[in-house]
Amino acid sequence: GVETQGKTEMRILPLARIYFHSYFFLDLAVVSIDVALLLVEFFGEETNDGFRSARFLRTMRLLRLLRLLRAVKLQQELTLLANRFLSVHVFMVAKVVMGLTMMLLVNHIIACLWYGIGSWIMMETGTSWIVRSSMADAGFAESYAASMHWTLTQFTPATNDIAPNSALERLFAVWVILLAMGVFSSF
């Protein structure tokens, strides 16, 4: 639908008229360029060399940039939507959600590294935090959950029974704790 004079227009015929008077010819030009390019590529061997030249094809592809004019309209619509619905409270909630998402992303990467280091040390020496915490035969979900749990406890004042078992694991754990202190000091 389209909003006109404070009312939402949902009828097909008036919507078709609005579209015909606004973006129809631009869309027709863009689609025509795509069709022309497809035809030139499909019938490329049967046409003369003028239509297959690199300059002609580059020019046709540059004309496809007309699609960017649609992006301007999208930007205007998104700005209008943002002005209507984004209040200070929504902005604050979005900022908190973004911060939590970033924290989870960082913790996911650290959890994968923690499990990778443990797996590598287990293959090399036969012992690591994975063996020590009886997770050598655990499935993917349980291993990932344990690694994520360990990582989250490094960033919060929580307890965990998973502990480093080798010098490399201990060095990584110290690095993670220093990173966690730096992250919490920035909030």
Side-chain angles (χ1 to χ4, degrees), residues 26-120:
L26 177 64
D27 290 342
L28 183 66
V30 169
V31 170
S32 299
I33 292 168
D34 288 338
V35 169
L37 282 172
L38 285 173
L39 290 175
V40 166
E41 290 177 13
F42 184 72
F43 296 113
E45 296 175 2
E46 299 170 9
T47 60
N48 59 10
D49 291 332
F51 287 113
R52 289 187 352 191
S53 71
R55 180 180 292 166
F56 175 74
L57 291 176
R58 273 185 279 158
T59 304
M60 293 296 281
R61 286 190 180 112
L62 283 175
L63 288 175
R64 293 171 73 184
L65 291 176
L66 290 173
R67 291 179 178 174
L68 293 177
L69 293 176
R70 296 287 295 196
V72 172
K73 176 70 173 169
L74 177 63
Q75 181 184 5
Q76 291 171 351
E77 293 295 326
L78 289 176
T79 302
L80 180 65
L81 184 69
N83 289 338
R84 283 188 183 169
F85 294 108
L86 290 182
S87 65
V88 174
H89 300 293
V90 172
F91 181 71
M92 288 177 8
V93 168
K95 199 169 182 181
V96 168
V97 168
M98 184 62 81
L100 288 174
T101 303
M102 289 304 295
M103 289 289 291
L104 283 175
L105 179 66
V106 167
N107 280 306
H108 164 75
I109 293 169
I110 292 172
C112 291
L113 289 171
W114 174 246
Y115 186 76
I117 290 171
S119 296
W120 180 66

Side-chain angles (χ1 to χ4, degrees), residues 13 26 38 73 80 120 122 125 147 155 175-176:
L13 193 57
L26 177 64
L38 285 173
K73 176 70 173 169
L80 180 65
W120 180 66
M122 186 174 69
T125 64
S147 298
F155 278 76
W175 176 80
V176 169

Side-chain angles (χ1 to χ4, degrees), residues 154-165:
Q154 304 307 304
F155 278 76
T156 61
T159 60
N160 191 353
D161 59 345
I162 297 174
N165 197 42

Side-chain angles (χ1 to χ4, degrees), residues 161-175:
D161 59 345
I162 297 174
N165 197 42
S166 68
L168 182 61
E169 290 174 349
R170 196 164 305 281
L171 179 69
F172 183 75
V174 167
W175 176 80

